[in-house]
Amino acid sequence: ALSIISAVQFHSHALDSKSQENQLLDFWAIFESVLDISNKHTSDRINQVCIHLIPILKRKYVYSLILQLSEDIKNFDEEYYNMIMRGCDSEIDKTARLFKIISLPNLIEERNELCDKCKKFPLLKERIEYYTETFCTLKSTYEFVEKHAQRVKWQIMRIYRNRNLIIHNGHSMPYLTLLIENLHSYVDDFLEYTVQNMAKGHTINSMCQNLFAKECEWLADFSNKKNNYDEEKVQRILEF
């Protein structure tokens, strides 16, 4: 609980500060404070942060993409959207329904109809076709999410390099504004996940152990190219 209080204070200081360098340092301090990252660890600080942070940031990545696509289809043709979503009440049900239309081979007729409906909006149609190709198998879906996770990791490492530059010689890179925007987003996702888990009775240690277990499940279920889609795995992809 004390670490969360410290995190909230760091977050408040970052938002109040007019110095971008101080904003970056305060936001970064949230990770180290909550995760208790210090010199006592045998591995590098950045590795310790990434081990815990990347699984949080890549969770529900596919869900967020399909949810945005769902909203775009609704804005483009609400009558057709309501027709294909008939019987789906919740956001997760609607997102799962669209993901199934896009990815499952037995729904090719519905998928073709969707693309035909969107032909007057070529960018939307191209996005649907891209997702169909990307999410056609569990293996390709897994690789897509892992590429996203790798890009996030590279950005976190850029942030950490800037953190070290600021601390050691007061300098920073010219793209600091973009890094802070990304860092702010990462921090908010991290804190939301942490607070939700602590509300469920988790400690930071048990939360991290749970993250590791979920990573193992993700690897076992979706990295094997021999595994095929089914209703349960579609749901789990969206919930991961």
Side-chain angles (χ1 to χ4, degrees), residues 31-213:
F31 300 139
E32 298 200 4
S33 172
V34 173
L35 296 172
D36 191 26
I37 305 297
S38 68
N39 291 326
K40 70 183 180 182
H41 291 289
T42 55
S43 60
D44 293 338
R45 287 170 179 248
I46 182 62
N47 289 333
Q48 287 289 324
V49 171
C50 285
I51 286 172
H52 299 99
L53 186 58
I54 297 298
I56 294 175
L57 296 180
K58 79 178 186 183
R59 57 187 279 277
K60 293 195 173 182
Y61 178 54
V62 174
Y63 181 89
S64 67
L65 294 176
I66 303 302
L67 177 61
Q68 183 59 59
L69 179 64
S70 178
E71 291 297 319
D72 291 342
I73 293 172
K74 181 179 181 180
N75 291 334
F76 174 67
D77 191 335
E78 187 169 1
E79 182 179 350
Y80 175 70
Y81 174 84
N82 291 334
M83 187 271 291
I84 63 174
M85 295 300 174
R86 189 176 297 123
C88 299
D89 298 323
S90 66
E91 178 185 281
I92 181 64
D93 289 341
K94 292 178 181 178
T95 307
R97 172 62 180 162
L98 182 57
F99 186 77
K100 290 171 187 176
I101 292 174
I102 288 172
S103 61
L104 295 183
N106 62 309
L107 296 181
I108 187 170
E109 291 184 6
E110 289 90 336
R111 184 159 57 249
N112 288 340
E113 181 182 1
L114 174 60
C115 288
D116 187 59
K117 285 285 184 180
C118 298
K119 64 184 179 181
K120 293 182 180 179
F121 193 172
L123 292 179
L124 183 58
K125 181 174 180 290
E126 286 176 12
R127 184 146 52 108
I128 294 168
E129 291 172 341
Y130 172 70
Y131 287 160
T132 295
E133 182 179 354
T134 300
F135 303 135
C136 61
T137 67
L138 289 176
K139 178 73 171 179
S140 64
T141 303
Y142 169 83
E143 291 174 345
F144 176 77
V145 173
E146 288 305 306
K147 285 181 181 178
H148 166 71
Q150 185 61 54
R151 289 193 296 270
V152 171
K153 183 176 181 179
W154 289 336
Q155 195 71 333
I156 293 171
M157 295 179 76
R158 293 186 192 101
I159 291 167
Y160 186 66
R161 283 198 295 270
N162 272 267
R163 175 254 187 203
N164 290 342
L165 280 172
I166 293 168
I167 288 177
H168 295 303
N169 57 29
H171 296 319
S172 59
M173 296 294 183
Y175 48 82
L176 188 60
T177 300
L178 176 60
L179 291 182
I180 292 173
E181 289 178 1
N182 290 151
L183 178 57
H184 191 179
S185 174
Y186 300 160
V187 164
D188 286 350
D189 285 348
F190 171 75
L191 286 178
E192 179 184 7
Y193 184 87
T194 301
V195 170
Q196 286 177 351
N197 275 268
M198 292 186 74
K200 295 176 182 177
H202 282 287
T203 64
I204 296 300
N205 186 50
S206 66
M207 182 192 80
C208 292
Q209 290 176 349
N210 190 46
L211 280 171
F212 178 74

